[in-house]
Amino acid sequence: MHELSRSKAAFCGLLAGLVAGIAMTLVMLLLAWKLRIATPLVILGDRFVGAIGGLIYGVLIRNRDRSPVWSTLLVFAVLPLLVSAILLWPVLGTHYAGMPIDAARAVTLLGLGLSFLVFERTLVLGFDFVTAAPRGRPSTEFSPQVGRRAFLMGIFGLLLAGGVTAIARKLFRIATFSYDGTQYKGPGVQPITPNEQFYCVTKNVVDPRVNEGLWHLEVSGLVQSPRTYRLQDLKAMSMVDQETTLMCISNGLDAGLMSNAVWRGIPMADLLQSAGPLNGAAKVKLHGVDNYADTFPLEKAMDPTTLIAFKMNGQTLPHRHGFPARVIVPGYFGEKHVKWLTRIEVAGADAKGFYETQGWGPDFIVPTRSRIDVPDNESWIKLADAKRGVPIKGVAFGGDRGISRVEMSFDDGESWDDATIHYPGTKLTWSLWSHDWQPDESGDYTLVVRATDGEGEVQEFEEDREFTSGITGFHKVLLHIFE
Ligand SMILES: Nc1nc2c(c(=O)[nH]1)N[C@H]1C(S)=C(S)[C@@H](COP(=O)(O)O)O[C@H]1N2
Ligand SMILES: [Mo]
């Protein structure tokens, strides 16, 4: 057995650990990219942890003969797998090609196990390689020549890192940064939002791209007869078309996280009725393949307007909007319209969703809102032009209560004029309105819009409402009319 100084052992361990961490990251990225397995990709963290683990390993192992394989396997693969399984249990059921939740959990654990195994093997074999005594010489005579071997190990690490970068780039290109937060507002707003322009919000860095063959929809929980449907079973059921507007809970007064489409799908009630909710059932908890879930009352789920949608404006649901199936639940914030739906769980009264556990709510019902799309805030208009009429237009949305009236003010809410609703939509959609305004004098004007919903309630600022239930208030636009 050769002697190895403590610092040399630490260095070799650090190096082997670093390379092993890179190797593990490469495996995780390959799994994510090729098999859509969602192992937690904390890239830098993994490498850092790898290097530290290697350093400790190097120092501990220095004066021993090779430790038995089972002990390093235990410490570097089995234990991390156990710890991850415990700590990450709630997120393990994620699979970006839409594998059902239980199968996804098994596959993710397999992927994690493989990643840790690669770490352990690279660490142990890499350490052995770097610290091996030169051939032909009695190993006790010299401190091993680690220089050349460390260099080779470093090159190997760099090659792996190149692979990591290449795959990370590929994943970055399909990441959601380019479209998460897409808004729809301004002069171009049409009654029906084209699919490519529909607002978009996701919690994911990489969104699911569900494989129809892997996907299914479960109805489970507090039901008499749980069932599993394939996509073709669902498509054979009788469908309805329903125009419905969606708005995100975090939509600002002047923002465009709101859009309208015609959704084609089956009433959720049809599936719930054949499953038969049991006593104690109070809510449905809807799960996406991305480990997202949200809830609403069973009563709302039974409403004929609550749909499982497969089509959007006559086209197959786009991937980013939830292919192959998403929930449409009129009157509730966007959060509840779960995309990439894979499980309908009938649950008790205290079931909670992803955003609810993060502190959103308690109210998830869309309050009446309206927005001025034309003209822009801080526009300057010549009085002579303004006298020929300043076109004003925008949208108003009353959740599932419809819109019965839209009014404009040009004096910051002192007095109000009726606007024209030129696209009334339905109870479940926004209305589009316009107004022609002819100011007599130059000056600064504060334009305000307010809507009245289908139940006669006038839009208002609800002082007691917390922003976590979605803000209320009035959109205002400042106009400068000059001589
Ligand atoms: N599975 C899943 N469903 C989801 C989300 C998500 O991240 N994952 N985001 C929600 C949020 S916050 C909103 S506002 C709407 C947005 O739907 P859209 O992107 O189709 O407009 O989807 C909801 N459904
Ligand atoms: Mo949202």
Side-chain angles (χ1 to χ4, degrees):
M1 193 197 116
H2 57 259
E3 290 293 316
L4 198 58
S5 73
R6 180 189 278 264
S7 62
K8 215 169 252 180
F11 168 76
C12 293
L14 197 78
L15 181 67
L18 189 66
V19 175
I22 295 171
M24 178 173 72
T25 307
L26 185 61
V27 171
M28 286 184 169
L29 285 170
L30 273 169
L31 290 175
W33 178 45
K34 282 291 175 198
L35 300 177
R36 317 288 293 166
I37 294 177
T39 55
L41 298 167
V42 210
I43 296 173
L44 284 176
D46 284 349
R47 258 183 269 176
F48 184 66
V49 170
I52 299 284
L55 190 149
I56 295 169
Y57 172 70
V59 174
L60 290 182
I61 207 75
R62 135 180 102 104
N63 288 323
R64 270 174 238 171
D65 236 350
R66 176 191 280 267
S67 56
V69 170
W70 66 261
S71 67
T72 51
L73 267 179
L74 188 71
V75 173
F76 293 109
V78 178
L79 250 137
L81 188 62
L82 280 178
V83 172
S84 320
I86 293 165
L87 293 182
L88 302 175
W89 190 257
V91 304
L92 292 175
T94 307
H95 185 260
Y96 289 111
M99 213 175 249
I101 294 173
D102 296 319
R105 187 172 282 130
V107 163
T108 307
L109 278 171
L110 264 176
L112 268 174
L114 179 67
S115 308
F116 293 142
L117 187 67
V118 166
F119 175 82
E120 186 270 348
R121 285 292 88 196
T122 313
L123 173 64
V124 172
L125 298 177
F127 186 80
D128 282 357
F129 171 77
V130 182
T131 60
R135 221 176 299 163
R137 294 185 198 159
S139 59
T140 40
E141 249 173 59
F142 299 96
S143 177
Q145 298 295 306
V146 298
R148 201 178 61 90
R149 286 169 172 258
F151 179 75
L152 288 176
M153 190 70 188
I155 297 284
F156 180 59
L158 280 180
L159 284 177
L160 290 179
V164 167
T165 319
I167 300 174
R169 271 222 195 99
K170 287 201 170 33
L171 282 173
F172 193 84
R173 229 171 288 146
I174 58 167
T176 57
F177 309 117
S178 61
Y179 61 83
D180 182 23
T182 298
Q183 303 199 19
Y184 186 65
K185 63 174 186 173
V189 169
Q190 301 296 311
I192 303 289
T193 315
N195 287 0
E196 307 70 45
Q197 292 171 50
F198 201 95
Y199 94 88
C200 193
V201 176
T202 172
K203 71 161 183 68
N204 306 309
V205 176
V206 176
D207 268 343
R209 273 183 107 80
V210 170
N211 176 317
E212 281 183 39
L214 292 175
W215 181 88
H216 68 216
L217 178 61
E218 291 163 30
V219 184
S220 61
L222 299 175
V223 291
Q224 244 149 24
S225 32
R227 267 204 68 175
T228 298
Y229 299 85
R230 313 289 333 177
L231 188 55
Q232 62 265 28
D233 306 332
L234 298 166
K235 279 183 172 168
M237 300 175 74
S238 82
M239 301 255 181
V240 294
D241 284 300
Q242 180 178 293
E243 196 181 318
T244 306
T245 301
L246 269 60
M247 182 174 94
C248 179
I249 195 168
S250 62
N251 191 44
L253 292 171
D254 64 347
L257 296 178
M258 173 166 45
S259 297
N260 185 42
V262 180
W263 309 93
R264 183 170 177 76
I266 55 176
M268 192 179 283
D270 291 357
L271 299 190
L272 290 170
Q273 257 144 13
S274 63
L278 295 170
N279 276 344
K283 283 184 171 182
V284 285
K285 185 168 180 183
L286 295 321
H287 301 255
V289 306
D290 58 342
N291 188 51
Y292 180 92
D294 217 331
T295 66
F296 47 79
L298 182 61
E299 199 187 339
K300 181 70 181 178
M302 290 297 218
D303 189 289
T305 64
T306 299
L307 304 182
I308 300 163
F310 306 96
K311 289 197 162 210
M312 179 178 183
N313 294 331
Q315 289 165 298
T316 303
L317 209 53
H319 287 290
R320 70 179 63 166
H321 295 295
F323 175 83
R326 82 170 305 166
V327 174
I328 292 296
V329 51
Y332 280 73
F333 284 120
E335 286 47 46
K336 307 274 170 188
H337 301 240
V338 173
K339 303 192 268 191
W340 311 291
L341 182 70
T342 189
R343 180 187 281 170
I344 300 172
E345 179 191 344
V346 178
D350 42 49
K352 280 197 163 64
F354 180 83
Y355 281 109
E356 226 174 333
T357 54
Q358 293 186 1
W360 289 92
D363 197 347
F364 291 97
I365 308 278
V366 176
T368 300
R369 291 272 296 267
S370 51
R371 184 183 71 213
I372 301 167
D373 280 317
V374 176
D376 274 340
N377 190 28
E378 294 282 357
S379 293
W380 293 76
I381 302 173
K382 231 180 146 147
L383 181 61
D385 293 335
K387 277 187 163 160
R388 271 177 261 131
V390 179
I392 299 170
K393 62 176 192 166
V395 301
F397 183 39
D400 60 355
R401 305 173 301 279
I403 290 293
S404 58
R405 184 181 193 188
V406 177
E407 296 161 283
M408 276 299 301
S409 170
F410 301 92
D411 51 14
D412 201 5
E414 293 286 309
S415 59
W416 297 91
D417 289 342
D418 270 305
T420 309
I421 295 176
H422 62 83
Y423 180 77
T426 74
K427 267 182 82 160
L428 311 183
T429 74
W430 63 17
S431 300
L432 269 51
W433 56 267
S434 58
H435 192 66
D436 196 46
W437 177 53
Q438 284 152 326
D440 298 324
E441 301 166 33
S442 57
D444 290 347
Y445 292 86
T446 301
L447 278 53
V448 194
V449 61
R450 81 175 178 202
T452 303
D453 73 12
E455 291 162 7
E457 296 286 333
V458 182
Q459 177 181 348
E460 57 176 359
F461 170 61
E462 298 170 32
E463 218 167 315
D464 298 336
R465 193 181 176 103
E466 288 174 67
F467 80 93
T468 51
S469 288
I471 55 172
T472 53
F474 302 96
H475 184 210
K476 299 184 179 187
V477 158
L478 186 63
L479 272 196
H480 308 282
I481 307 291
F482 64 99
E483 296 275 359

